[in-house]
């Protein structure tokens, strides 16, 4: 399966969205802090990122790990430097 490429913010948002839709999370009203994905050398599956150190995770480790695993199968972390530049407004048309 070919992975789609996403920025760190997009991956963080996707994982957060999926976590916040879990029935147990919704029922308990828990807000889990999702860290930014960290770039790594591609592992055996070919994934080039991982997430560690979630906040307020107690009791939901398995569910969150399953979501991260699913998102890692679908997406790669963008290594394109223009994504970084856009955070600071560099190279954006019309800026002075």
């Amino acid at each position: 399966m070919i992975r789609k490429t996403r920025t760190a913010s997009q991956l963080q948002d996707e994982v957060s969205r999926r976590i916040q839709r879990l029935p147990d999370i919704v029922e308990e009203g828990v807000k889990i802090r999702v860290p930014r994905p960290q770039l790594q050398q591609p592992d055996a599956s070919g994934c080039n990122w991982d997430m560690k150190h979630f906040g307020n995770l107690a009791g939901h480790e398995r569910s969150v790990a399953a979501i991260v695993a699913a998102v890692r199968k679908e997406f790669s972390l963008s290594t394109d430097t223009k994504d970084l530049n856009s955070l600071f407004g560099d190279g954006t048309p019309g800026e002075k």
Side-chain angles (χ1 to χ4, degrees):
M1 178 176 161
I2 297 176
R3 289 178 174 89
K4 299 171 197 137
T5 302
R6 297 291 185 262
T7 65
S9 293
Q10 290 170 323
L11 289 173
Q12 186 178 27
D13 290 346
E14 180 66 18
V15 170
S16 181
R17 183 183 62 78
R18 292 185 189 195
I19 289 171
Q20 300 310 324
R21 290 189 346 194
L22 288 171
D24 289 350
I25 300 294
V26 171
E27 185 177 302
E28 294 175 26
V30 176
K31 181 69 176 167
I32 294 176
R33 187 189 61 75
V34 178
R36 294 194 46 94
Q38 298 299 308
L39 187 64
Q40 65 180 20
Q41 289 296 320
D43 59 18
S45 73
C47 186
N48 71 343
W49 64 274
D50 202 2
M51 285 183 167
K52 297 179 179 156
H53 311 296
F54 287 78
N56 203 25
L57 189 62
H60 302 285
E61 294 87 353
R62 277 186 153 164
S63 299
V64 170
I67 287 173
V68 171
V71 175
R72 290 184 73 215
K73 286 180 183 176
E74 293 178 47
F75 301 103
S76 288
L77 178 59
S78 173
T79 57
D80 192 350
T81 57
K82 75 177 180 181
D83 293 331
L84 296 174
N85 290 340
S86 67
L87 293 174
F88 303 103
D90 296 344
T92 303
E95 280 196 20
K96 298 189 187 226

